[in-house]
Each structure stands twice: as C-alpha cells, then as structure tokens.
Amino acid sequence: MVDNNLNESPKSELFIKLEENKEALQNLNFQKSMQQLEDLSQIRKIKKEIARIKTIIHQYESNIKTEGNN
C-alpha cells in the first residue's frame, strides 16, 4: 500500500493515488464501525500516505519541484 517512489511520481498520478487512498480510508473506517476491521494500524498507514501525497502535491504547486524532475 505504501509507495516509496511517491517523490518520483508525476503530479497527475499523485492525484489518482490520493483519491484511491481516500476511498480506502473511507472503507476502512466503515469496516471499523461495523467491527469487521482487525488491523487498526491500516488506518494510520493510509492517513500517513495521504499526508505524504498531499505534501508532495503542495511542493509541486509551490514550484519547489517541477514536473521534469520526476
């Protein structure tokens, strides 16, 4: 689930991964509410990955990084 190559991903791919992770988080939270989720650490891992992706997107938008450096 955790992708170590996020820094090398193009911005468009990051948005796709962000949406996928948001959906996964929503599903995990639903499973948790139904008491079907056994590994609660999955929620924390997804939240951290979402934060990483948002940070990298912010770097792109702040012109800290350029699309050419992927």
Side-chain angles (χ1 to χ4, degrees), residues 6-67:
L6 287 175
N7 285 326
E8 300 170 5
S9 299
K11 189 175 176 183
S12 58
E13 190 176 314
L14 289 172
F15 280 112
I16 294 169
K17 288 181 182 182
L18 180 62
E19 288 304 314
E20 289 173 354
N21 281 322
K22 284 182 177 181
E23 287 179 23
L25 180 60
Q26 189 175 19
N27 289 334
L28 289 172
N29 281 324
F30 180 73
Q31 289 176 9
K32 179 183 170 191
S33 70
M34 299 298 288
Q35 298 177 348
Q36 295 175 343
L37 185 63
E38 294 181 14
D39 185 11
L40 295 176
S41 68
Q42 290 176 341
I43 293 175
R44 188 176 336 128
K45 290 175 186 174
I46 293 290
K47 284 183 177 181
K48 283 184 179 184
E49 181 152 352
I50 289 172
R52 284 187 196 104
I53 293 171
K54 284 183 174 182
T55 300
I56 295 168
I57 289 172
H58 179 71
Q59 289 173 347
Y60 275 121
E61 291 173 351
S62 298
N63 294 323
I64 294 171
K65 297 176 78 169
T66 61
E67 286 263 355

